[in-house]
Amino acid sequence: MMCYGSVFRSPGDCSNAAGRYDLGIIIDGSGSVGNHEFAQTKMFLLRLINRFPVGTDSTRFGIILYSDIPKLITRFSDVLYHNPIGLKLKLLGLEFPDGETRTDKALKMAGTELYAAGQSRDQVPHVLVVFTDGGTKQGSESYKEVVKPLKVIIKQNNTKQLTVLN
């Protein structure tokens, strides 16, 4: 998980005793994932939702589904999805889009629409989780560029990729 924003005392600290988050989920629905793995991801997300107190004053979920083109499925402000049942029904109804892997476009949408000013709560930690089977399509925009609105800096060393928050 990547935690970002100025609400944390130290980079990478995702702790929140109140259990309140604006939790963004990006789901890869490209052909390389396949329909079976896409269904497995949905089942995992159903279990993940059970781990959070979902509600207007608790954790809110924002979901982006992508392949060639990202689609904003739920916003943090969508009251219909401020309860686990509505959120799970929406998730179960997602159809496998197939197509090419354009993770760059999904990350860009997260910055410009999901976590844009006024779209998420300032007083809670913002967490973004990306479910993908690998890299984006050749010729995509660099992650370094598309995550700028999310205030995430990606640094790489010889063996590991580190996410540093600014």
Side-chain angles (χ1 to χ4, degrees):
M1 283 194 260
M2 295 185 281
C3 297
Y4 65 92
S6 60
V7 295
F8 302 111
R9 293 188 180 134
S10 63
D13 178 12
C14 291
S15 62
N16 179 358
R20 297 175 63 211
Y21 299 91
D22 278 353
L23 181 54
I25 304 290
I26 296 179
I27 306 168
D28 184 347
S30 63
S32 62
V33 169
N35 198 25
H36 177 73
E37 286 77 11
F38 180 73
Q40 286 183 321
T41 300
K42 289 186 348 180
M43 293 302 110
F44 174 82
L45 290 171
L46 292 174
R47 291 188 308 272
L48 179 71
I49 291 167
N50 288 337
R51 304 292 305 228
F52 292 90
V54 178
T56 301
D57 294 324
S58 300
T59 296
R60 297 181 187 178
F61 283 77
I63 300 172
I64 295 173
L65 173 63
Y66 77 98
S67 59
D68 299 289
I69 300 169
K71 182 178 179 184
L72 187 59
I73 303 299
T74 65
R75 295 179 183 274
F76 299 120
S77 59
D78 291 339
V79 178
L80 184 60
Y81 308 113
H82 290 181
N83 71 74
I85 293 172
L87 187 60
K88 288 177 181 181
L89 288 173
K90 185 68 171 181
L91 186 63
L92 282 170
L94 294 180
E95 294 183 17
F96 178 60
D98 206 352
E100 296 179 341
T101 308
R102 289 303 302 264
T103 311
D104 61 322
K105 290 182 178 183
L107 287 168
K108 190 176 220 176
M109 177 178 274
T112 60
E113 294 186 42
L114 192 60
Y115 289 104
Q119 296 301 312
S120 58
R121 299 172 291 175
D122 292 333
Q123 69 276 19
V124 300
H126 299 161
V127 179
L128 179 62
V129 181
V130 180
F131 291 89
T132 184
D133 67 340
T136 191
K137 181 182 180 215
Q138 186 176 7
S140 298
E141 290 185 65
S142 75
Y143 290 158
K144 187 175 182 177
E145 291 301 313
V146 297
V147 298
K148 280 183 180 177
L150 296 173
K151 297 181 174 65
V152 173
I153 300 169
I154 298 173
K155 294 184 179 181
Q156 292 184 339
N157 64 20
N158 294 346
T159 59
K160 295 182 180 181
Q161 179 171 310
L162 307 171
T163 303
V164 179
L165 313 174
N166 65 354

